[in-house]
Amino acid sequence: MSVAERLSVVRARIAAAAELVGRSPADIRLVAVSKTRSASEVDAACQAGQTVFGENYVQELLNKADNVDLPVEWHFIGHLQSNKVRQIAGLVTLIHSVDRQSLAEEISRQWGRIGKCCDVLVQVNISGETTKSGTTEVDAMQLVKAVARLPHVKITGLMTMPPFFDDPEAAQPYFAALKSLSQRIAAECIPGVEMRELSMGMSGDFEVAIQEGATLVRVGTAIFGERD
C-alpha cells in the first residue's frame, strides 16, 4: 500500500472510532509521526492531505524541515533537552512533551526572544514506568500552575504514553486516567491554561484513545509502514 492509501485507512478508522462514541471526527487531529522517515515520504503524505507531522529529534527535524517542499505544521513529540530548544523556536507549532519546569522556562525564554508564544502540552507518565518521560500524575497540577506563570508559554492540554500491550483495550485505563486528570486541572480554572487537547494514542491503540477523549493521535507505522 502507498502512503496515501494507508492514510485513507487511518482516517476511516479515526472516523469510525469517533462515531462509535458520538464524537465528531473533525475534533480529532492526526499527527503523522515522521521520525526516521524521509522528506520525500513526508511530501507524499502531504500530497495526500496530511498537514501535521510529529518529530522526536531536534536535528532530524531541522534537516527534514529544510527538505520538505510543501507547507506543513511541525509538532515536537519526543523528549526535549533544554539546550536544544533554541534551535526549534518558532519552527514548531506545538510541543507535546513538557515534563519539567526548567524545560518550560527555556521554551518561554527562547520564544520570547522572537516575540512569540509557544503552545505546549504537559507530558504525564500515567503508567509510572521508569523508562518513560513525564511528570507524575500527583505532581502534574503543581507543574501546570508553575508553567502557567511563564509569559511565552501556553498550556493547551496533556500528553501521555501508556505501556505497550498486545491488546489495545488494555491501554484504556491509562487514557481514562489522563482524561480525568485533565478535567481536574480544568476545574481549577488556572489563568492562561486550557485543557482542550489530549495527545494520546498511537498506531496500535489510537481507536481506544479516541473513545476516551483523545484530540491528537500520534500515528507513524500505520501511515508509513514498518521501518526497514
Side-chain angles (χ1 to χ4, degrees), residues 88-156:
I88 61 170
L91 174 61
V92 298
T93 305
L94 180 66
I95 297 174
H96 291 229
S97 48
V98 172
D99 58 358
R100 59 200 186 278
Q101 187 175 347
S102 59
L103 173 59
E105 288 170 350
E106 184 61 17
I107 293 168
S108 185
R109 187 177 302 116
Q110 295 301 336
W111 259 258
R113 287 176 64 245
I114 59 173
K116 294 184 178 180
C117 185
C118 182
D119 286 349
V120 304
L121 307 180
V122 169
Q123 181 175 356
V124 185
N125 185 357
I126 288 281
S127 66
E129 291 173 281
T130 55
T131 54
K132 293 226 169 81
S133 300
T135 187
T136 65
E137 189 173 353
V138 171
D139 292 338
M141 186 78 74
Q142 184 179 352
L143 178 60
V144 167
K145 288 178 177 177
V147 174
R149 293 193 284 268
L150 297 170
H152 298 284
V153 171
K154 182 172 179 59
I155 296 173
T156 62

Side-chain angles (χ1 to χ4, degrees), residues 75-223:
H75 289 193
F76 195 85
I77 61 175
H79 180 71
L80 182 57
Q81 295 171 282
S82 296
N83 63 0
K84 298 283 183 71
V85 171
R86 180 181 58 81
Q87 296 174 266
I88 61 170
L91 174 61
V92 298
T93 305
L94 180 66
I95 297 174
H96 291 229
S97 48
V98 172
D99 58 358
R100 59 200 186 278
Q101 187 175 347
S102 59
L103 173 59
E105 288 170 350
E106 184 61 17
I107 293 168
S108 185
R109 187 177 302 116
Q110 295 301 336
W111 259 258
R113 287 176 64 245
I114 59 173
K116 294 184 178 180
C117 185
C118 182
D119 286 349
V120 304
L121 307 180
V122 169
Q123 181 175 356
V124 185
N125 185 357
I126 288 281
S127 66
E129 291 173 281
T130 55
T131 54
K132 293 226 169 81
S133 300
T135 187
T136 65
E137 189 173 353
V138 171
D139 292 338
M141 186 78 74
Q142 184 179 352
L143 178 60
V144 167
K145 288 178 177 177
V147 174
R149 293 193 284 268
L150 297 170
H152 298 284
V153 171
K154 182 172 179 59
I155 296 173
T156 62
L158 305 177
M159 182 268 253
T160 199
M161 294 174 65
F164 174 78
F165 297 105
D166 289 328
D167 175 14
E169 293 293 336
Q172 183 272 336
Y174 300 93
F175 297 141
L178 192 74
K179 176 66 180 280
S180 175
L181 176 61
S182 170
Q183 291 168 333
R184 295 199 300 277
I185 293 171
E188 292 285 311
C189 298
I190 303 162
V193 172
E194 291 182 48
M195 284 288 120
R196 69 171 187 263
E197 303 284 15
L198 284 174
S199 172
M200 56 189 194
M202 298 189 287
S203 287
D205 55 18
F206 68 82
E207 284 136 320
V208 178
I210 287 168
Q211 289 164 25
E212 292 300 330
T215 63
L216 293 157
V217 291
R218 310 180 305 270
V219 179
T221 304
I223 294 171

Side-chain angles (χ1 to χ4, degrees), residues 50-86:
Q50 179 61 26
T51 56
V52 184
F53 293 85
E55 286 287 333
N56 289 62
Y57 306 107
V58 169
Q59 196 56 53
E60 185 182 349
L61 168 58
L62 296 173
N63 293 342
K64 207 167 292 178
D66 282 341
N67 291 290
V68 169
D69 295 325
L70 297 164
V72 303
E73 179 179 325
W74 296 107
H75 289 193
F76 195 85
I77 61 175
H79 180 71
L80 182 57
Q81 295 171 282
S82 296
N83 63 0
K84 298 283 183 71
V85 171
R86 180 181 58 81

